[in-house]
């Protein structure tokens, strides 16, 4: 049952959400997409499948047209859930998925390495088409760069799938600028997906300027800092067994306590804008570039409503200067991933 706070977010207007184009590709999507990973993967016990199918369909009804999944989520089950949920509204949505990992023989719940050999890319794409119940994958990302396969071979394999009508657009995830340039020279890259938020600003160093130069869209994942930027966590927060945040340095109690300064900043702006910290965090991302499309995820209807309403918030130049000036004085504590997972995680 929804709380009073949850019901308060159910008063959104019925108008369609603002649309954005991912760079110069021509691929147009809702200003905010939907990251589907957490529906049944990585954050503890999977939510009820029927409820998540209903939630995804509700997202479409409320104007979300861009949905992100991956082979590795589940593994495999997330694509199946997304495929079932979106089949009745296929003509209204853009579905993105990813390749690039290998699993131990006989399956397993975690990848054991990366694999972007062209033969493997084709095998994954064919299987994803079936799980998603689609004739074409709208956007196919390489999930993580494979150091053993030239990126030109990866781009060439996806180029072949595009020529065959099985894929529409090519994307990269967590790739560096030279990899982006080399891939783009073989097959135009429509979008890069990397972590980006007020507490993970690495893409600002080099990546964003290269994306703008090449006309590539940017899709920030974890735009709410895996839940931290909602303002609902503190040093006493504990995650259930199976929640991968238990292994992340940034979610250790001492880091959560130290990073509350970011929440205080968001809260100050949110109060003035009659919004929530999460909405300000998303609005800040949307204000960075017109070709940025964040993909927050949730398993709760009221959070979905809250996120969507962020697309209606307009931060002024003064608001942005205030946020950036204050954020520049805050040193975020804790690494994104433990060293053992940094290069081999699909999360």
């Amino acid at each position: 049952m929804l709380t009073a706070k949850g019901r308060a977010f159910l008063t959104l207007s019925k108008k369609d959400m603002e649309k954005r184009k991912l760079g110069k590709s021509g691929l147009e999507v809702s200003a905010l997409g939907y990251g589907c990973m957490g529906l049944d993967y990585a954050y503890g016990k999977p939510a009820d499948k029927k409820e998540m199918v209903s939630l995804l369909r509700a997202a479409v009804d409320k104007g979300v047209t861009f949905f992100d999944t991956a082979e590795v989520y589940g593994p495999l089950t997330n694509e199946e859930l997304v495929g079932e949920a979106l089949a009745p509204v296929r003509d209204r949505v853009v579905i993105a998925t990813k390749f690039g990992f290998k699993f131990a023989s006989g399956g397993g719940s975690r990848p054991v390495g990366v694999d972007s050999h062209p033969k493997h890319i084709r095998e994954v794409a064919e299987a994803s088409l079936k799980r998603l119940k689609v004739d074409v994958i709208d956007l196919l990302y390489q999930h993580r760069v494979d150091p053993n396969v030239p990126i030109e071979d990866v781009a060439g394999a996806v180029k072949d799938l595009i020529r065959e009508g099985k894929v529409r657009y090519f994307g990269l995830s967590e790739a560096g600028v030279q990899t982006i340039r080399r891939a783009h020279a073989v097959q135009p890259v429509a979008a890069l997906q990397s972590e980006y938020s007020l507490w993970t600003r690495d893409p600002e160093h080099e990546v964003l300027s290269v994306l703008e130069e090449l006309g590539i869209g940017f899709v920030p994942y974890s735009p709410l800092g895996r839940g931290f930027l909602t303002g609902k966590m503190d040093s006493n927060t504990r995650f259930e067994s199976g929640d991968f945040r238990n292994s992340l340095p940034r979610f250790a109690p001492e880091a959560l306590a130290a990073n509350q300064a970011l929440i205080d900043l968001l809260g100050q702006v949110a109060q003035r804008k009659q919004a929530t910290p999460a909405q300000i965090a998303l609005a800040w991302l949307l204000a960075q570039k017109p070709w940025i499309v964040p993909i927050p995820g949730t398993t709760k209807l009221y959070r979905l409503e809250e996120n969507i309403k962020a697309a209606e918030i307009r931060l002024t130049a003064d608001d942005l200067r205030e946020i950036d000036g204050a954020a520049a004085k805050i040193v975020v504590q804790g690494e994104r991933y433990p060293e053992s997972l940094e290069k081999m995680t699909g999360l």
Side-chain angles (χ1 to χ4, degrees), residues 48-207:
D48 180 81
K49 183 176 180 180
K50 289 184 179 179
E51 291 181 5
M52 295 305 96
V53 167
S54 296
L55 185 63
L56 289 177
R57 291 177 183 171
V60 177
D61 289 341
K62 298 175 188 303
V64 178
T65 68
F66 187 34
F67 294 84
D68 182 89
T69 182
E71 173 201 37
V72 75
Y73 302 160
L76 312 182
T77 57
N78 199 264
E79 285 184 324
E80 292 171 348
L81 190 161
V82 171
E84 177 180 338
L86 300 182
V89 292
R90 178 65 182 104
D91 60 336
R92 297 165 58 187
V93 298
V94 170
I95 300 175
T97 192
K98 311 177 194 76
F99 65 85
F101 286 99
K102 61 182 176 182
F103 304 94
S105 58
S109 62
R110 288 288 185 270
V112 296
V114 292
D115 185 351
S116 282
H117 289 90
K119 179 182 178 182
H120 185 65
I121 294 173
R122 179 170 292 276
E123 291 170 348
V124 173
E126 296 284 2
S128 291
L129 285 166
K130 293 177 181 177
R131 286 190 292 270
L132 291 169
K133 303 180 188 298
V134 298
D135 296 324
V136 59
I137 296 167
D138 296 310
L139 176 58
L140 183 63
Y141 292 102
Q142 181 191 38
H143 208 151
R144 289 293 186 272
V145 175
D146 185 341
N148 298 314
V149 180
I151 194 63
E152 289 82 359
D153 292 353
V154 175
V158 178
K159 187 182 189 78
D160 289 342
L161 291 168
I162 292 173
R163 285 172 176 164
E164 295 168 22
K166 295 178 179 179
V167 172
R168 292 180 62 210
Y169 294 96
F170 174 39
L172 297 172
S173 180
E174 292 283 358
V177 294
Q178 293 308 314
T179 298
I180 295 167
R181 288 186 183 281
R182 287 167 55 196
H184 192 70
V186 175
Q187 169 60 43
V189 177
L192 174 76
Q193 181 177 138
S194 295
E195 186 172 356
Y196 184 39
S197 69
L198 270 169
W199 83 339
T200 301
R201 301 182 66 169
D202 299 359
E204 294 176 351
H205 299 156
E206 292 184 302
V207 168

Side-chain angles (χ1 to χ4, degrees), residues 263-299:
I263 301 304
D264 295 340
L265 168 59
L266 289 171
Q268 292 168 13
V269 180
Q271 186 174 22
R272 188 169 69 244
K273 293 289 187 179
Q274 297 184 311
T276 68
Q279 289 171 338
I280 298 302
L282 292 172
W284 177 84
L285 274 174
L286 290 169
Q288 300 308 301
K289 299 290 181 181
W291 35 266
I292 287 179
V293 179
I295 50 170
T298 184
T299 59

Side-chain angles (χ1 to χ4, degrees), residues 333-344:
Q333 300 296 313
E335 297 297 324
R336 289 199 300 152
Y337 297 112
E339 188 174 351
S340 61
L341 290 179
E342 183 64 40
K343 293 183 179 180
M344 208 282 295

Side-chain angles (χ1 to χ4, degrees), residues 203-218:
E204 294 176 351
H205 299 156
E206 292 184 302
V207 168
L208 290 183
S209 61
V210 171
L211 298 183
E212 188 155 37
E213 173 196 336
L214 299 178
I216 298 172
F218 188 47

